[in-house]
Amino acid sequence: MMNHLVSYTDSAPKELQQQTKGSFKGDDGKKLISARKAQAVIVARRPDSGGKEGSVISLLANHFLVEFDPSQKIYHYNVEITPHPSKDIAREIKQKLVNNNSAVLSGATPAYDGRKNLYSPVEFQNDKLEFYISLPIPTSKLASSYGEMSDLKEKNEQHKLFRINIKLVSKINGKELTNYLSKDGDDWIPLPQDYLHALDVVLRESPTEKCIPVGRSFYSSSMGRSKDIGGGAVGLRGFFQSLRPTQQGLALNVDFSVTAFHESIGVIAYLQKRLEFLRDLSQRKTAQLTSEERKEVEKALKNIRVFVCHRETVQRYRVYGLTEEATENLWFADRDGKNLRLVNYFKDHYNYDIQFRKLPCLQISRSKPCYLPMELCVICEGQKFLGKLTDDQTARILKMGCQRPGERKTIIEGVMRGNVGPTSGDQEKEFKLQVSREMTKLTGRILHPPKLKLGDGGHVRNLTPSRHDRQWNLLDGNVFEGTTIERWALISFGGTPEQKSNVPRFINQLSQRCEQLGIFLNKKTVISPQFESSQILNNVTLLESKLKRIQRSSSNNLQLLICIMERKHKGYADLKRIAETSVGVVSQCCLYPNLNKLSSQFLANLALKINAKVGGCTVALYNSLPSQLPRLFHIDEPVIFMGADVTHPHPLDDFSPSVAAVVGSMNWPTANKYISRIRSQTHRQEIIQDLGAMVGELLDDFYQEVEKLPNRIIFFRDGVSETQFYKVLEEELQSIRCACSRFPGYKPSITFAVVQKRHHTRLFPFETDQSPTQNHFLFENIPPGTVVDSVITHPKEFDFYLCSHWGVKGTSRPTHYHVLWDENQFTSDELQKLVYNLCYTFVRCTKPISLVPPAYYAHLAAYRGRLYLERSESLGLFRSTSTLSRAAPPKTAPLPKLSENIKKLMFYC
């Protein structure tokens, strides 16, 4: 594979900006060539001054302009602290150092990132400095021998001495950054990361001192009381902040944020809340944990920090695991080598009778035996919740963070003017910064909705969504392409006798609703509905044999299996895997509680999903893409739209594979049916490892369907963080090219765009004339079709924000599209119109969605792959919990292969 050098966030000379079709080559001797003589991948530049289509709308964005003095020098110092402290302790050391050594530091209040970087607006007295600082931290190892514990007399905490070496690394100014941000600046200079990073640390200094930092966000009780979200977790309010180069200059992006923290309560009380089997703890005084229960307890407590309440100390301990033995069976050697029983030790030294003797102790050292009884430990405050939130906890967190636009705007403005925000300290004055307290005013455009094509009893009917939310209904129309489902079956898991008695009515009403929508669903199932116990979902072998029996009874020709469950069940994952990889049938699951009312909307939603899964489609664009974008698209030159996503396991899981999915459209010019390829890959690998093979297979399938290879590939990549943009582009563009090179002489034009939903830019309607109607308007979300490609977007690269959906709850999050490579040479208007129109073709609903469909389908397909893995995860995920060091991720097990008759269907939607 060729080695490509990426030019980070920078632009080529004008003559190189024209990215050549079918080739990476630039002119010989350009300054792109690295010392390794590698070829450069140049990130796409904005092709024009922005789009022009649509009606104008006045908006506010949560970006706050940061003006800096380019001549202001910042002195970057490297900090070495010995012994190596935690970030919290490092900050305390820095604070004490600054307070005690003002003269040596030239009176400066430097900004510190808690690790190795210190930034000062003035030069210190010397380029190299050494200090010694002592802090009241116990030097005890907590008792590699417990005997030392008693010697740490409660009120006389010992002091720990730290050596701090400070060395000047560089002197930087803002001239290059000013040049980079300037419209007249050299289009080829790289983003000056050093000055930008320095300013970022400076603006984070004050919030870091006053709040709990988590990633790029800060949480504080000053923004509202914490809220119990159940299961030993609390939700805390805070704000996100990030410094961004934009067209208007440097801007601070500030947003409201909510996240979950561990509740600061006793470990025993915490476990009672967190784990169902420990709710009634009285019995735990007499019964030990089973090995499975012990694994669950260890999983819940691992890596959490605790303090002890049987003596006064500021020491904090990290939980590395649990003891194998119960507390009553634990012995340890004191400093004289004498063996002591742990329960006797606590009685003799602290006059404390350990109650929960059958429970294990916490192991609080990585290597030595160091034990703490659970009942004497309390969870430290301010720790982000580790692991996966339950559905209920997630719902409560989302509710806490769900503010209408007007409320969210008020909260964000409060942060900028408040006493814990980025402007609450002296850093602005010290570093000669001016941070605006006002949101950025800008104009966006509202794109017109496309005319849609629906069915109407064999005829084509057109419709333009004219409602404010751009929803359309199918009450008096059919889906564009309805399917005929002759052979189907129904299986039920659990349910009360009354619920089961509703099944015939459900079948009848669903069949009628399908008929109204132009879908034929036989009123008779191939075998009578099968009623099984919910327990079957816990037994994989039995579940598989039941499903295979149903398939056999329909001569192995079943088109659809409808599954009704009494509640959400983890066996859903097994059911989908067995149906799609072993039995070979698409399935549609629903819950008994939804069958009580049988609303027309519920039945229609179910019918749309069923129709899409068995090969139909809901809607098409009335004016085909070639007629809408005639400069680029032609009816006889097919185009494929692809979407790709990678999902990673949750943060505490250091075992499971990541799952990559790629989807591709299989019809032209309608472009509304997508088939998928799903693969497991190395744990937390961001790049799609098998992309070349997956794209190659999709191109094969496209050729079979359309009888031509696509002239253009429009590739939407989801799940990429900004720091990975260029690595992903470099490697994945090459993989796509390799896939194309399998076909002799085939060099399609490729556009590679990253799609981001996980960003913090929010747009708010803005009216200067505040009449009562306008006040109401300010609390509304921006309308579907709102696009912004100026002021708050990248200074030079081709990106835009598009809000294609109507936000019913909370504040709409526009999707950020960032084009990294564009051989198709889209104009801003063309690409924005294409993406917005595609958002109307999603098969599951009758409204535009928030994300371009190929990216959404890739997300759904990757989620399906994750479900296939769930059974093996639940059996093997925590095999290695007793080993205290994080091992290398294991070899990735492949996903089970899809049945042939499923492969070409949208089974994942």
Side-chain angles (χ1 to χ4, degrees):
M1 190 182 279
M2 285 166 65
N3 231 342
H4 295 292
L5 166 77
V6 175
S7 132
Y8 289 83
T9 64
D10 329 305
S11 166
K14 288 280 185 283
E15 61 269 29
L16 264 188
Q17 287 186 31
Q18 193 78 5
Q19 292 168 332
T20 54
K21 179 176 175 179
S23 159
F24 288 153
K25 296 186 180 76
D27 295 348
D28 288 341
K30 292 289 176 193
K31 33 184 166 173
L32 299 172
I33 309 302
S34 76
R36 299 175 306 171
K37 300 280 191 289
Q39 193 76 50
V41 173
I42 308 145
V43 174
R45 290 290 159 277
R46 196 177 300 283
D48 44 39
S49 59
K52 301 283 180 280
E53 287 195 14
S55 52
V56 172
I57 178 173
S58 297
L59 300 168
L60 290 172
N62 58 340
H63 285 215
F64 298 84
L65 189 62
V66 178
E67 293 178 272
F68 59 94
D69 178 351
S71 62
Q72 169 66 50
K73 274 191 183 159
I74 294 181
Y75 298 86
H76 177 196
Y77 291 90
N78 182 67
V79 180
E80 290 283 347
I81 305 178
T82 323
H84 184 67
S86 69
K87 260 190 169 183
D88 292 349
I89 301 296
R91 289 206 145 273
E92 282 186 45
I93 292 168
K94 175 255 176 181
Q95 202 54 53
K96 193 166 178 183
L97 187 150
V98 170
N99 293 345
N100 296 356
N101 300 278
S102 182
V104 186
L105 302 181
S106 309
T109 311
Y112 179 46
D113 70 354
R115 297 245 184 257
K116 293 196 166 212
N117 299 301
L118 190 73
Y119 297 99
S120 170
V122 293
E123 200 165 0
F124 298 160
Q125 294 291 310
N126 295 301
D127 290 351
K128 284 186 180 177
L129 295 167
E130 187 171 74
F131 301 94
Y132 288 87
I133 298 280
S134 75
L135 284 181
I137 300 167
T139 49
S140 132
K141 308 277 184 302
L142 180 73
S144 39
S145 66
Y146 269 92
E148 285 180 38
M149 263 187 178
S150 54
D151 297 344
L152 270 180
K153 277 306 167 218
E154 299 20 310
K155 300 230 161 75
N156 306 323
E157 291 292 4
Q158 297 177 11
H159 280 60
K160 190 168 186 174
L161 192 64
F162 294 92
R163 186 179 74 195
I164 302 99
N165 289 98
I166 295 176
K167 188 170 105 188
L168 182 66
V169 178
S170 62
K171 305 172 189 179
I172 48 179
N173 64 44
K175 284 172 186 166
E176 279 187 9
L177 185 55
T178 303
N179 194 9
Y180 178 85
L181 293 167
S182 147
K183 286 194 170 56
D184 315 318
D186 180 355
D187 211 26
W188 185 232
I189 59 164
L191 174 65
Q193 290 282 4
D194 51 0
Y195 202 78
L196 187 67
H197 183 256
L199 292 182
D200 190 53
V201 171
V202 167
L203 288 169
R204 301 177 79 72
E205 181 73 8
S206 190
T208 305
E209 285 175 357
K210 299 168 183 176
C211 307
I212 304 162
V214 177
R216 301 196 71 76
S217 297
F218 300 96
Y219 297 90
S220 166
S221 53
S222 71
M223 291 189 63
R225 282 177 49 217
S226 61
K227 189 170 182 181
D228 190 341
I229 60 165
V234 293
L236 205 56
R237 293 172 175 84
F239 61 95
F240 165 93
Q241 79 173 59
S242 169
L243 201 56
R244 305 180 64 79
T246 67
Q247 286 188 48
Q248 70 166 334
L250 212 50
L252 194 62
N253 177 201
V254 177
D255 191 23
F256 175 56
S257 175
V258 173
T259 200
F261 285 80
H262 293 287
E263 192 176 355
S264 180
I265 50 176
V267 166
I268 298 278
Y270 174 79
L271 289 173
Q272 277 184 287
K273 286 188 167 193
R274 177 111 187 238
L275 300 171
E276 190 68 50
F277 61 83
L278 288 181
R279 293 282 146 87
D280 180 15
L281 255 182
S282 53
Q283 60 182 345
R284 291 296 162 185
K285 293 187 177 179
T286 52
Q288 289 196 10
L289 298 175
T290 66
S291 66
E292 277 306 306
E293 287 173 339
R294 191 185 163 283
K295 272 184 197 168
E296 285 296 306
V297 171
E298 185 164 67
K299 185 173 134 190
L301 294 177
K302 200 170 179 185
N303 291 318
I304 289 179
R305 292 192 309 277
V306 296
F307 64 89
V308 291
C309 52
H310 62 287
R311 58 195 180 87
E312 285 182 38
T313 172
V314 296
Q315 179 75 306
R316 301 289 180 256
Y317 310 104
R318 185 180 296 280
V319 178
Y320 283 100
L322 300 180
T323 56
E324 292 291 337
E325 294 285 342
T327 302
E328 63 185 2
N329 300 330
L330 287 173
W331 293 71
F332 66 94
D334 71 4
R335 65 171 66 159
D336 303 323
K338 188 175 155 196
N339 253 2
L340 299 176
R341 190 177 177 212
L342 191 115
V343 289
N344 296 346
Y345 172 83
F346 276 90
K347 179 66 179 165
D348 296 345
H349 277 81
Y350 300 104
N351 194 25
Y352 183 80
D353 281 313
I354 292 173
Q355 303 295 303
F356 293 95
R357 298 177 173 216
K358 300 284 183 189
L359 290 177
C361 274
L362 303 181
Q363 165 67 19
I364 48 114
S365 163
R366 196 186 290 275
S367 48
K368 299 182 180 127
C370 287
Y371 316 133
L372 285 176
M374 287 188 193
E375 63 204 82
L376 296 177
C377 297
V378 179
I379 288 166
C380 298
E381 235 179 345
Q383 296 181 80
K384 189 178 184 321
F385 190 85
L386 302 170
K388 205 172 176 183
L389 293 173
T390 65
D391 288 352
D392 281 350
Q393 287 173 323
T394 304
R396 289 181 187 128
I397 277 285
L398 288 174
K399 194 174 176 186
M400 275 184 80
C402 186
Q403 264 75 28
R404 293 302 287 168
E407 297 170 59
R408 194 181 199 96
K409 180 173 165 289
T410 303
I411 293 169
I412 294 167
E413 288 169 337
V415 169
M416 290 306 290
R417 297 185 176 119
N419 55 8
V420 297
T423 59
S424 60
D426 298 328
Q427 287 74 27
E428 247 185 304
K429 196 168 74 210
E430 290 256 333
F431 288 85
K432 294 191 187 161
L433 301 175
Q434 279 185 297
V435 184
S436 172
R437 309 302 196 261
E438 303 294 330
M439 285 195 179
T440 297
K441 291 177 185 157
L442 65 146
T443 55
R445 290 168 292 111
I446 304 169
L447 302 180
H448 303 299
K451 193 187 276 193
L452 304 176
K453 208 190 291 190
L454 303 170
D456 185 12
H459 307 290
V460 170
R461 173 170 161 259
N462 71 68
L463 171 149
T464 304
S466 55
R467 279 175 42 163
H468 73 286
D469 57 5
R470 298 294 181 243
Q471 243 181 302
W472 65 94
N473 67 51
L474 290 167
L475 287 174
D476 49 355
N478 294 352
V479 293
F480 177 60
E481 189 185 323
T483 46
T484 298
I485 304 163
E486 291 279 4
R487 308 178 66 75
W488 70 284
L490 184 144
I491 186 167
S492 152
F493 300 99
T496 63
E498 187 190 353
Q499 285 176 327
K500 292 181 201 173
S501 69
N502 284 330
V503 168
R505 179 171 71 95
F506 165 64
I507 293 173
N508 190 40
Q509 290 199 17
L510 180 61
S511 176
Q512 279 179 21
R513 192 74 185 94
C514 282
E515 194 180 337
Q516 291 161 9
L517 294 169
I519 305 159
F520 176 77
L521 180 69
N522 197 333
K523 279 193 161 67
K524 287 204 169 97
T525 52
V526 287
I527 53 170
S528 60
Q530 306 290 293
F531 294 97
E532 305 289 352
S533 146
S534 276
Q535 289 307 310
I536 300 284
L537 289 169
N538 293 321
N539 186 327
V540 182
T541 317
L542 197 51
L543 179 61
E544 187 160 358
S545 69
K546 295 274 184 197
L547 299 190
K548 282 186 169 170
R549 190 170 64 79
I550 294 173
Q551 176 68 296
R552 279 196 305 275
S553 68
S554 69
S555 321
N556 289 327
N557 196 16
L558 201 63
Q559 289 172 276
L560 170 71
L561 179 65
I562 291 185
C563 312
I564 310 175
M565 301 177 181
E566 64 180 353
R567 63 176 184 277
K568 286 183 181 177
H569 193 288
K570 65 179 187 294
Y572 169 85
D574 286 320
L575 188 135
K576 288 293 181 185
R577 179 176 49 79
I578 292 163
E580 289 155 10
T581 64
S582 175
V583 179
V585 63
V586 293
S587 55
Q588 178 59 55
C589 296
C590 50
L591 299 174
Y592 266 120
N594 293 328
L595 266 56
N596 295 341
K597 299 186 284 289
L598 283 184
S599 70
S600 172
Q601 186 66 59
F602 168 72
L603 291 167
N605 289 347
L606 214 52
L608 293 184
K609 286 183 75 173
I610 289 168
N611 186 52
K613 285 178 183 181
V614 294
C617 69
T618 307
V619 68
L621 298 171
Y622 188 79
N623 299 312
S624 69
L625 292 171
S627 70
Q628 294 202 52
L629 302 172
R631 189 183 72 83
L632 283 176
F633 295 161
H634 303 104
I635 201 90
D636 56 347
E637 293 180 359
V639 177
I640 189 170
F641 298 101
M642 289 186 169
D645 193 12
V646 180
T647 67
H648 303 294
H650 66 81
L652 266 194
D653 178 344
D654 53 9
F655 181 93
S656 305
S658 292
V659 176
V662 183
V663 302
S665 59
M666 289 293 132
N667 52 350
W668 175 257
T670 323
N672 61 0
K673 290 184 183 177
Y674 290 78
I675 67 174
S676 64
R677 289 292 180 273
I678 315 170
R679 302 272 204 281
S680 58
Q681 63 179 41
T682 307
H683 175 78
R684 301 208 188 284
Q685 169 77 44
E686 186 91 56
I687 308 287
I688 300 176
Q689 283 168 339
D690 249 354
L691 183 63
M694 293 157 94
V695 168
E697 288 174 30
L698 290 172
L699 290 173
D700 278 331
D701 289 331
F702 187 91
Y703 186 78
Q704 284 174 32
E705 296 292 328
V706 183
E707 298 178 351
K708 278 184 181 178
L709 283 169
N711 286 44
R712 303 175 193 276
I713 296 175
I714 318 292
F715 192 91
F716 293 101
R717 176 66 155 90
D718 198 356
V720 183
S721 59
E722 280 181 342
T723 53
Q724 296 285 310
F725 273 11
Y726 307 100
K727 189 175 181 354
V728 166
L729 171 65
E730 183 185 35
E731 297 195 28
E732 295 188 359
L733 188 56
Q734 179 66 1
S735 297
I736 297 167
R737 287 236 170 275
C738 286
C740 297
S741 68
R742 287 177 40 231
F743 306 92
Y746 177 52
K747 288 185 175 174
S749 306
I750 298 169
T751 294
F752 190 109
V754 169
V755 182
Q756 291 175 299
K757 282 285 283 179
R758 289 188 175 181
H759 62 82
H760 289 270
T761 294
R762 296 291 183 278
L763 300 169
F764 304 92
F766 169 64
E767 283 292 330
T768 44
D769 173 23
Q770 294 213 342
S771 61
T773 51
Q774 256 88 35
N775 264 334
H776 170 69
F777 169 77
L778 289 176
F779 279 79
E780 287 292 349
N781 270 310
I782 51 176
T786 301
V787 67
V788 169
D789 58 8
S790 63
V791 187
I792 58 167
T793 45
H794 195 281
K796 296 180 171 71
E797 294 172 15
F798 186 7
D799 69 327
F800 58 90
Y801 292 94
L802 171 65
C803 182
S804 47
H805 69 297
W806 172 248
V808 181
K809 279 185 176 177
T811 305
S812 293
R813 187 198 306 246
T815 300
H816 187 222
Y817 296 89
H818 199 130
V819 182
L820 299 185
W821 185 261
D822 183 26
E823 294 168 354
N824 290 297
Q825 293 164 30
F826 279 99
T827 64
S828 295
D829 275 330
E830 284 168 338
L831 188 58
Q832 290 161 11
K833 184 177 187 177
L834 170 66
V835 169
Y836 185 46
N837 284 2
L838 286 176
C839 289
Y840 281 80
T841 64
F842 190 62
V843 291
R844 289 199 327 196
C845 57
T846 55
K847 59 185 175 187
I849 56 166
S850 64
L851 187 67
V852 70
Y856 202 134
Y857 293 138
H859 177 75
L860 293 174
Y863 175 70
R864 178 67 100 240
R866 169 77 51 225
L867 281 187
Y868 291 169
L869 286 172
E870 266 192 359
R871 173 58 49 177
S872 51
E873 274 186 10
S874 60
L875 296 177
L877 177 57
F878 291 98
R879 273 179 220 147
S880 60
T881 43
S882 57
T883 61
L884 296 171
S885 61
R886 182 183 276 241
K891 284 207 164 53
T892 304
L895 294 176
K897 282 196 163 49
L898 288 172
S899 301
E900 281 304 314
N901 57 332
I902 292 288
K903 260 185 179 174
K904 294 195 174 178
L905 295 172
M906 295 178 69
F907 64 90
Y908 52 82
C909 76

